Amino acid sequence: MRTRAATERAQAKHLVGLIGEGIGSSLTPPLHEVEAAALGLDYEYRVLDLLTLGRAPEDLGALIADVVAEGYDAVNITHPCKQIAYRLVDEADDDAQRLGAVNLVLLREGRTIGYNTDWMGYRDGLVAGLPRASLALVVQLGCGGAGAATAYALLMCGAVDLRLVDADERRAQDLADTLQELFPSARVRYTPAVDLGDILAVASGVVHATPLGMTHHPGVAFDVERLGEGTWVSDVVYRPLETELIRKAAQRGLPVLDGGRMAVGQAFASMEIITGVRPDRQRMERHFRSLIEHESGAFGVANG
Ligand code: NAD
């Protein structure tokens, strides 16, 4: 049963924003607003694009102070501000602390409380979309913002052996070191790109978390033919949903998970934390997929 405070929170007017750079074409506002309307919530979601506002990422603290004054009750945070947001908030939940990144800030009674729902979105998508996925030996390409969240989620889901690859070797090494410390019972290793071919042949699954495959960044980061039979393949790229990687893997008959699940999952978790009301995940999925299908195809690199 809901407490009185929770009921009041659900019934309150919600003013929410998305802060990031180059986010004009983000699908997050319609995703939140349409679901909120279906739930009967009074909910407005605004885009606060640093480029349009003429503000630098370092101005995030001042911008958050502005939105507090304007009566916002939460902001989602996206590229390039997630680490800055983590350093700014008054408190952060355990996972955001371990990730050192925040993509949701609740603004409550003068305090800022940070969460990371990116990893939750990936976890939920993996569990629902690839329920039989073996996590015995997972290879991940890309160790930036999205990659940190997927790697963390994989380990939270029980990955036994995780190999991290990135064109920026230092980045892969640093993420591997951080996660190995957080998950001592797993094996987390940086893997040089030259060793990728051999490891792909024996991997139980592969996560792709680089920008390759986006509409304006076509390509595949590795040779799908090198994967063994039954290896599952997961892409974080969602514009388009069917990346070249997903298409090639599906053509080979491999189990696939597209980037849409993670994108919807982080929005689902954010909405639930903001409002205290559980959204309808399937309805959000259908809406998100229809939004992607209806896009004309001419947009920039928008996160969030
Ligand atoms: P980022 O710039 O933080 O990280 C990308 C990483 O990929 C970098 O470390 C880079 O060195 C590495 N890289 C690039 N090309 C490579 C290659 N060929 N081989 C190996 N490593 C390579 O970017 P990000 O924020 O992590 O975003 C990555 C992708 O994930 C983008 O397409 C973004 O839109 C998508 N994304 C999806 C979701 C979702 O919810 N599905 C969420 C966030 C980001």
Side-chain angles (χ1 to χ4, degrees):
M1 210 171 89
R2 253 197 225 162
T3 62
R4 191 163 151 203
T7 304
E8 279 172 12
R9 183 146 67 97
Q11 288 170 346
K13 155 104 187 161
H14 297 284
L15 179 54
V16 184
L18 174 64
I19 299 179
E21 258 182 22
I23 51 174
S25 61
S26 171
L27 299 177
T28 303
L31 194 56
H32 278 238
E33 286 189 338
V34 169
E35 179 58 20
L39 294 168
L41 300 174
D42 188 356
Y43 197 101
E44 184 181 346
Y45 197 106
R46 296 182 187 162
V47 170
L48 301 162
D49 191 330
L50 295 175
L51 298 180
T52 313
L53 297 170
R55 297 181 86 150
E58 294 70 33
D59 292 342
L60 184 64
L63 187 53
I64 289 180
D66 289 351
V67 300
V68 168
E70 287 173 45
Y72 280 70
D73 58 356
V75 277
N76 278 128
I77 306 287
T78 189
H79 184 78
C81 298
K82 292 181 189 181
Q83 283 81 18
I84 301 172
Y86 171 66
R87 291 193 292 272
L88 279 174
V89 290
D90 295 320
E91 56 187 282
D93 84 341
D94 288 349
D95 302 303
Q97 284 183 36
R98 296 167 94 191
L99 278 159
V102 152
N103 77 324
L104 171 65
V105 181
L106 283 194
L107 310 167
R108 291 281 145 81
E109 290 152 14
R111 289 187 68 73
T112 51
I113 307 152
Y115 297 86
N116 187 303
T117 67
D118 287 329
W119 82 271
M120 298 177 198
Y122 187 72
R123 173 201 60 193
D124 294 350
L126 183 68
V127 169
L130 291 174
R132 283 177 295 281
S134 162
L135 302 181
L137 173 55
V138 183
V139 178
Q140 177 177 303
L141 289 96
C143 299
T150 55
Y152 184 80
L154 288 163
L155 291 160
M156 288 291 275
C157 289
V160 178
D161 192 340
L162 178 60
R163 309 293 174 95
L164 300 176
V165 183
D166 196 291
D168 179 341
E169 299 197 344
R170 187 73 249 160
R171 201 175 248 197
Q173 180 78 69
D174 287 349
L175 183 63
D177 290 349
T178 303
L179 292 174
Q180 183 65 81
E181 213 173 310
L182 289 172
F183 295 91
S185 59
R187 185 172 196 266
V188 190
R189 294 282 184 275
Y190 147 72
T191 299
V194 287
D195 296 341
L196 188 59
D198 292 342
I199 200 95
L200 285 175
V202 292
S204 52
V206 181
V207 178
H208 173 255
T210 90
L212 263 180
M214 293 178 73
T215 305
H216 294 306
H217 206 333
V220 188
F222 62 92
D223 183 0
V224 178
E225 293 306 318
R226 300 203 71 141
L227 297 174
E229 288 306 316
T231 308
W232 56 268
V233 175
S234 160
D235 204 340
V236 300
V237 173
Y238 58 86
R239 275 171 156 159
L241 283 166
E242 191 188 65
T243 56
E244 197 178 333
L245 170 61
I246 291 290
R247 189 172 65 252
K248 284 185 165 163
Q251 276 167 357
R252 269 203 57 192
L254 305 178
V256 295
L257 181 73
D258 68 40
R261 296 258 195 178
M262 179 181 182
V264 171
Q266 64 78 21
F268 170 93
S270 291
M271 282 192 76
E272 189 171 19
I273 293 168
I274 294 166
T275 64
V277 177
R278 176 160 281 240
D280 182 327
R281 193 189 297 270
Q282 271 72 40
R283 184 166 57 202
M284 290 182 79
E285 282 270 353
R286 286 194 300 275
H287 181 215
F288 182 80
R289 283 167 196 279
S290 74
L291 288 170
I292 294 274
E293 273 167 27
H294 287 101
E295 277 186 335
S296 62
F299 38 67
V301 181
N303 294 292

